[in-house]
């Protein structure tokens, strides 16, 4: 694309999305819209039952409610933009709106990494030190842990977004993505982005690597403790209390590793196919994962299912 003919990205960017596949866009529009509605419904119900049902007023469900709220915020920051891009070929987005969306998505993603680590610590204390659980995971402790997760994610987003927004953009203004994903935006900068790359690497170590390591170590101790339980029924019950969280962790981090960990093709045709695959993978990460979270926790948790049934029955009684 001829750089001399491009409008200034200070006015706006153009989101390319899947404009090269118009038929697929229509199908994806319907699928993502339905998925988004399921996300709002499923996570909304989880938040509702964790607030209204006194039996769920425990640290595990407190963090689960935060995770559900986080998923709603994360998808709402990007899904409407994705849906709009499917309806409008070469969707234009203003400079401020682009970096605003980038800030929200980055903040929510980093917060979820830290929050999943907090949830792993909760399961570690519950299984490995059950007698100390009421003291260690008291309401006084859980509040700051949740606030710390949100503060860490927002702080990271402020740093990364503020560095990106100061870059000069004087060439192409076409973002080869559905949303203002930070790596896709940085590629358009006509300046040295080495500081941005180093900053992102450091942030990934802190907000991605450390939580993964923390979760891994926690589950090493958890599994070792479960295996020492003499009865098979006791082991099954203990493992069931953390299986939902472990499933969510595998899906969340597995998708991230697939997106950013696989080698890039040097062949132009192969690169085009990889771009297409990367876009679909980012959709899975940004939409499907938040949809699966409430389903996983509902299907694998008797307390949540009982709370939902009670909520539905109370609604029928009031009617």
């Amino acid at each position: 694309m001829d750089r001399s003919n491009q409008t200034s990205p200070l006015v706006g960017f153009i989101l390319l999305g899947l404009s090269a596949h118009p038929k697929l866009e229509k199908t994806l529009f319907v699928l993502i819209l339905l998925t988004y509605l399921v996300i709002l419904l499923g996570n909304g119900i989880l938040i509702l039952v964790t607030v209204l049902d006194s039996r769920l007023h425990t640290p595990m469900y407190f963090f689960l409610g935060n995770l559900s709220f986080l998923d709603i915020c994360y998808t709402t920051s990007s899904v409407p933009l994705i849906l709009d891009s499917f309806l409008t070929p070469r969707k234009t987005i203003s400079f401020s709106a682009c970096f605003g969306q980038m800030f929200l998505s980055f903040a929510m993603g980093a917060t979820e990494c830290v929050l999943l680590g907090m949830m792993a610590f909760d399961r570690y204390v519950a299984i490995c030190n059950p007698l100390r659980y009421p003291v260690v995971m008291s309401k006084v402790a859980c509040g700051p842990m949740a606030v710390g997760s949100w503060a860490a994610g927002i702080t990271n987003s402020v740093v990364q977004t503020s560095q990106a927004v100061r870059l000069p953009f004087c060439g192409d203004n076409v973002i080869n993505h559905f949303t203002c994903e930070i790596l896709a935006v940085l590629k358009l900068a006509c300046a040295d982005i080495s500081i941005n790359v180093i900053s992102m690497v450091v942030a990934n170590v802190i907000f991605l690597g450390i939580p993964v390591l923390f979760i891994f170590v926690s589950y090493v101790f958890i599994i070792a403790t479960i295996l020492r339980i003499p009865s098979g029924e006791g082991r099954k019950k203990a493992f069931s209390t953390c299986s939902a969280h472990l499933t969510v962790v595998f899906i969340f981090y597995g998708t991230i590793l697939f997106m950013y960990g696989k080698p890039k093709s040097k062949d132009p045709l192969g690169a085009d196919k990889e771009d297409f695959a990367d876009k679909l993978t980012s959709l899975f990460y940004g939409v499907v994962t938040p949809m699966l979270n409430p389903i996983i926790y509902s299907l694998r948790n008797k307390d949540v299912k009982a709370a939902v049934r009670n909520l539905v029955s109370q609604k029928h009684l009031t009617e």
Side-chain angles (χ1 to χ4, degrees), residues 67 87 102 111 144 146 158 186 189 193 234 300 319:
L67 182 64
L87 297 177
M102 179 194 295
T111 301
V158 168
L186 290 179
I193 61 171
R300 303 185 66 87
E319 291 177 351

Side-chain angles (χ1 to χ4, degrees), residues 22-286:
K23 293 182 179 179
L24 184 59
E25 281 188 320
K26 296 177 182 177
T27 303
L28 286 176
F29 175 85
V30 175
L31 291 177
I32 293 175
L33 177 60
L34 292 176
T35 303
Y36 182 52
L37 295 176
V38 172
I39 290 170
L40 296 179
L41 179 63
N43 287 288
I45 289 175
L46 268 181
I47 294 172
L48 197 61
V49 296
T50 55
V51 171
L52 297 179
D53 198 310
S54 59
R55 293 170 299 180
L56 301 184
H57 291 175
T58 64
M60 182 175 74
Y61 297 111
F62 170 73
F63 288 121
L64 178 57
N66 271 268
L67 182 64
S68 294
F69 180 68
L70 183 66
D71 283 338
I72 290 175
C73 292
Y74 179 78
T75 51
T76 301
S77 71
S78 58
V79 170
L81 185 62
I82 294 172
L83 293 174
D84 193 24
S85 71
F86 288 149
L87 297 177
T88 309
R90 297 173 68 84
K91 169 69 180 177
T92 301
I93 183 172
S94 68
F95 186 83
S96 58
C98 182
F99 281 95
Q101 186 269 317
M102 179 194 295
F103 171 83
L104 291 174
S105 295
F106 218 102
M108 298 303 108
T111 301
E112 184 155 355
C113 290
V114 180
L115 189 61
L116 287 173
M118 297 295 183
M119 295 174 76
F121 178 72
D122 171 73
R123 291 299 84 206
Y124 163 77
V125 179
I127 294 174
C128 299
N129 296 282
L131 296 179
R132 298 184 60 194
Y133 185 77
V135 177
V136 177
M137 299 303 297
S138 63
K139 291 183 179 180
V140 176
C142 290
M145 289 171 68
V147 171
S149 299
W150 285 88
I154 292 172
T155 301
N156 180 45
S157 186
V158 168
V159 173
Q160 302 303 327
T161 306
S162 62
Q163 288 180 338
V165 78
R166 288 198 296 264
L167 289 170
F169 296 91
C170 51
D172 292 342
N173 65 338
V174 179
I175 300 175
N176 189 19
H177 213 277
F178 299 107
T179 61
C180 293
E181 198 267 341
I182 189 166
L183 293 179
V185 174
L186 290 179
K187 291 178 181 178
L188 303 181
C190 50
D192 183 16
I193 61 171
S194 57
I195 298 297
N196 301 77
V197 173
I198 293 172
S199 177
M200 286 187 65
V201 170
V202 173
N204 286 339
V205 171
I206 296 173
F207 296 98
L208 191 61
I210 292 178
V212 168
L213 180 61
F214 185 80
I215 292 169
F216 175 77
V217 173
S218 297
Y219 272 101
V220 168
F221 285 106
I222 288 172
I223 293 172
T225 301
I226 291 175
L227 293 177
R228 288 198 297 267
I229 297 175
S231 68
E233 186 64 28
R235 289 194 297 270
K236 182 180 178 181
K237 183 178 180 181
F239 185 73
S240 67
T241 64
C242 57
S243 59
H245 173 259
L246 196 56
T247 304
V248 169
V249 166
F250 273 122
I251 294 174
F252 181 79
Y253 288 109
T255 310
I256 292 177
L257 289 174
F258 180 81
M259 276 178 22
Y260 297 111
K262 62 186 180 68
K264 298 295 182 181
S265 174
K266 295 182 180 180
D267 175 58
L269 294 177
D272 290 340
K273 291 179 180 178
E274 280 188 354
D275 282 340
F276 179 72
D278 287 344
K279 291 177 183 179
L280 294 183
T281 304
S282 70
L283 281 180
F284 180 88
Y285 167 72

